[in-house]
Amino acid sequence: MHKLENRVILVTGASGGLGAHFATLLASHGARVVLAARRLEALESVQAAIEQKGGRAASVQLDVVDEASTIAAYDFAEHVFGPVDSVVANAGINNEGAALDLIIDDFEKVMAVNVRGSFLTIREGARRMIAAGGREREHGRIVVIASIMGQVVKSGMAPYCASKAALIHMTKALAREWARSGISINALCPGFIPTELNAEWFETEPGHRLINSWPRRRLMQASALDELVVHLSSDAARCVTGSVFTVDDGQTL
């Protein structure tokens, strides 16, 4: 049910971390994957790894806060592989720090990338899916990568928590608005996962304290998200829309 052959899937924030993981995963299931992010050289490295394993991928430079850049990325995807069938809106940033000391420009950057950027990515994807006949085929799929920080809070992460909560609510609003468009849009809220950006921190004393505060006292891996991401990107998710999925190994309990 979950095979993705002949699907064209655009993944934002695909130059590293979860984005690169998702792109590699989807390509391994037969999708033609468009890798999108600002760091073109890093994207091309991910692309090469996918192609070395027999997958199909292409890279395009994308600044998600720029509408023209977003439109150009979808134009590129259509030129290389055809109309986009599925989108994984993964691009996001964080800027930790006490709210009283936070520079307002840093707050605005987080909201711009995480909320505005996701909205532009999602909206352009929906436009393309509808134009390609998605209403009749019920073929369009959008996966919004939110976070457990959109459901619970952590000190020093006010902008990030606010932005991820906004994504969850926006997903539900757009699911309602596009209910008859043939598009299924859902939000995925991962727990804390080690990536190249945070793996060293989890080896520190504060990192160990956080891990030990969770019921299972362990870090979950990105692979814990695999089956759900594939499912929500596929035809099997035809009757799943406006849902919010938490996969956190019990971190929020």
Side-chain angles (χ1 to χ4, degrees):
M1 292 177 65
H2 297 167
K3 291 182 178 178
L4 300 175
E5 282 87 353
N6 299 318
R7 271 195 177 270
V8 177
I9 304 182
L10 184 140
V11 181
T12 64
S15 57
L18 285 181
H21 177 82
F22 293 147
T24 302
L25 167 72
L26 297 168
S28 74
H29 281 263
R32 291 168 287 174
V33 180
V34 179
L35 313 168
R38 288 178 297 178
R39 298 183 296 152
L40 186 58
E41 186 174 341
L43 289 175
E44 290 172 342
S45 178
V46 178
Q47 177 184 338
I50 289 173
E51 292 174 338
Q52 189 174 16
K53 296 178 181 178
R56 299 183 64 187
S59 300
V60 61
Q61 196 166 37
L62 167 64
D63 181 355
V64 294
V65 304
D66 186 320
E67 185 173 16
S69 179
T70 302
I71 292 170
Y74 278 94
D75 287 343
F76 171 84
E78 291 186 5
H79 175 73
V80 175
F81 288 140
V84 171
D85 304 300
S86 303
V87 173
V88 179
N90 169 77
I93 62 171
N94 186 20
N95 201 320
E96 294 192 45
L100 294 178
D101 301 324
L102 189 67
I103 299 171
I104 195 61
D105 284 350
D106 291 337
F107 175 90
E108 291 176 349
K109 286 176 184 176
V110 172
M111 299 301 288
V113 173
N114 295 3
V115 182
R116 172 189 167 95
S118 293
F119 177 74
L120 289 174
T121 299
I122 293 164
R123 183 177 66 173
E124 189 61 25
R127 284 174 172 166
R128 305 289 176 126
M129 292 171 190
I130 293 170
R135 187 185 304 274
E136 296 73 29
R137 295 188 298 149
E138 297 187 326
H139 192 61
R141 303 288 180 266
I142 299 173
V143 184
V144 181
I145 306 303
S147 168
I148 58 170
M149 290 295 99
Q151 301 169 312
V152 297
V153 295
K154 185 174 182 294
S155 296
M157 297 180 67
Y160 185 80
C161 292
S163 69
K164 293 300 184 176
L167 286 185
I168 292 169
H169 217 59
M170 183 167 68
T171 296
K172 294 180 179 181
L174 294 177
R176 179 63 180 266
E177 185 172 333
W178 297 336
R180 299 181 182 178
S181 68
I183 296 170
S184 291
I185 174 171
N186 297 284
L188 175 58
C189 297
F192 287 94
I193 293 173
T195 68
E196 63 266 25
L197 296 179
N198 63 21
E200 289 187 3
W201 182 82
F202 279 115
E203 294 298 325
T204 66
E205 185 177 343
H208 288 160
R209 282 201 303 269
L210 178 61
I211 293 170
N212 288 329
S213 73
W214 300 328
R216 289 181 170 168
R217 297 183 180 179
R218 68 185 186 191
L219 271 170
M220 61 180 283
Q221 301 299 314
S223 58
L225 308 173
D226 289 2
E227 290 190 20
L228 190 54
V229 169
V230 172
H231 178 79
L232 295 177
S233 301
S234 74
D235 282 335
R238 174 176 172 271
C239 293
V240 184
T241 193
S243 295
V244 179
F245 297 90
T246 300
V247 183
D248 69 352
D249 201 29
Q251 293 174 14
T252 53
L253 294 177

